[in-house]
Amino acid sequence: TPSAVQKIKQLLKDKPEHVGVKVGVRTRGCNGLSYTLEYTKSKGESDEEVVQDGVRVFIEKKAQLTLLGTEMDYVEDKLSSEFVFNNPNIKGTCGCGESFNI
């Protein structure tokens, strides 16, 4: 989303050695999987690259099917600010929202 693009641009402004962010999934939590998001200095050999308004997002190979069709957003409210993944493939989530299953 435009909000996520702006936040990533803001974060990368202070990290000139990084070319974008990498999204992945890890086995974790009470429901199976959770998202990972980290800075990256290069595109991995098997990463899928998505460019949106000049921002480069790399998707790890093992996460590509899990994240197919997912929208990444950045949301701020009075108590928190975070990247949110709107994933149409999710079948269930845990009560705390930390993990999901496909």
Side-chain angles (χ1 to χ4, degrees):
T1 65
S3 179
V5 167
Q6 286 308 113
K7 185 61 178 180
I8 293 170
K9 281 182 180 179
Q10 178 186 354
L11 292 170
L12 289 174
K13 192 181 300 183
D14 299 332
K15 302 191 178 318
E17 70 277 12
H18 293 90
V19 297
V21 294
K22 185 177 289 196
V23 179
V25 293
R26 298 283 180 266
T27 302
R28 192 174 90 188
C30 54
N31 219 303
L33 299 170
S34 65
Y35 299 104
T36 63
L37 185 62
E38 59 192 17
Y39 299 107
T40 188
K41 293 181 180 180
S42 63
K43 178 182 186 281
E45 190 174 304
S46 56
D47 291 346
E48 180 72 28
E49 181 176 359
V50 177
V51 179
Q52 180 72 38
D53 298 326
V55 169
R56 297 171 73 188
V57 176
F58 304 96
I59 304 167
E60 292 178 348
K61 182 177 181 164
K62 71 179 194 173
Q64 290 171 9
L65 288 177
T66 304
L67 296 174
L68 194 63
T70 298
E71 176 188 70
M72 183 176 162
D73 195 6
Y74 184 75
V75 178
E76 290 184 87
D77 62 29
K78 292 180 182 179
L79 299 175
S80 67
S81 59
E82 63 185 338
F83 285 100
V84 176
F85 296 88
N86 300 310
N87 188 335
N89 305 304
I90 291 178
K91 301 290 187 240
T93 59
C94 65
C96 63
E98 289 293 317
S99 62
F100 63 94
N101 66 59
I102 300 286

